[in-house]
Every structure is written in structure tokens, then in C-alpha cells.
Amino acid sequence: MKILVVDDSGGMRDLVRRAVASSNSGDHEFLEAANGVEALKKVLTEKPDLVISDWYMPEMSGLALLRAIRANGSNVHFGIITADSSEEIQKTATDAGANFVIRKPFTADKFNEALATLN
């Protein structure tokens, strides 16, 4: 699976990659973007199977990215990562078309559970 990891923190992108790679979800090819604007371009040109995006980022939030992707007609699988634990965030993300929301701190098991729902 080709996975685009989107976060303004390089360290967090690395943590997400390692958590997904440590899950029992198979082999993956990873792409990265440092913000939503960069990610939108990659979604349209690289055609990933899954986007995993932070919620809060400068330039374009994860929610704005998700909405822009859907507005461009893409049904790519999309997951949000957030430190916010409110049910409102979960509902807003899923109403916008997110397949899953994972709260920080996360584990490989959380990604394993989330990725299993995509099949």
C-alpha cells in the first residue's frame, strides 16, 4: 500500500511511518508531505492508497486537506491523527469522509486496527 504521511513535524512523520511499519498490516511504500498544500499536490499526482494526516498544521489543516481531496473527486482512504480527544473532532472528521481517527499518543496496534477496517 502506498501511504502519504502528512505532518509539519518531521519527527512525527517518522513516528507514524515506524508505527505503521511495525503493525501487522503488510508492506508499505511511504511518501511524505510537510503540510496540506504539499499533500494535496501529492494526492493528485502520486495517487496514494491512504493519506494519514495530522489535524493541526499551518497553511492547510488535515480537515481542510480532507475536504479539498474530496472536492477534487478523490476517494482515497484518509486517516486523521490528533491530540484532541473530543468526540466533536471524531464526528467532524468522519462526516467529512475520514475513514479513521487515531488519537495521540498512538501505538502500532492502533494503526493495525485502523488499517484492518480499510479492506
Side-chain angles (χ1 to χ4, degrees):
M1 178 182 299
K2 188 189 294 187
I3 300 173
L4 174 60
V5 180
V6 188
D7 198 297
D8 55 311
S9 165
M12 187 56 68
R13 291 192 306 270
D14 186 52
L15 287 174
V16 171
R17 275 194 332 272
R18 285 189 286 156
V20 172
S22 295
S23 71
N24 295 320
S25 59
D27 292 326
H28 306 291
E29 174 187 346
F30 292 98
L31 306 169
E32 292 187 20
N35 60 57
V37 174
E38 183 182 326
L40 181 58
K41 290 175 188 172
K42 287 191 176 186
V43 167
L44 299 175
T45 60
E46 300 285 337
K47 308 288 189 212
D49 302 301
L50 169 63
V51 177
I52 301 173
S53 177
D54 188 27
W55 181 275
Y56 296 105
M57 295 181 293
E59 296 188 51
M60 181 186 282
S61 70
L63 181 62
L65 170 62
L66 173 56
R67 288 178 173 156
I69 287 171
R70 296 296 184 245
N72 275 280
S74 174
N75 289 320
V76 65
H77 293 298
F78 197 100
I80 293 274
I81 299 173
T82 182
D84 191 321
S85 61
S86 73
E87 290 302 315
E88 182 179 338
I89 293 287
Q90 174 87 30
K91 182 175 179 353
T92 300
T94 54
D95 286 352
N99 297 91
F100 61 86
V101 176
I102 294 178
R103 291 186 177 92
K104 297 175 187 174
F106 50 78
T107 63
D109 288 340
K110 292 291 182 189
F111 281 102
N112 200 38
E113 291 170 17
L115 295 176
T117 67
L118 302 180
N119 298 330

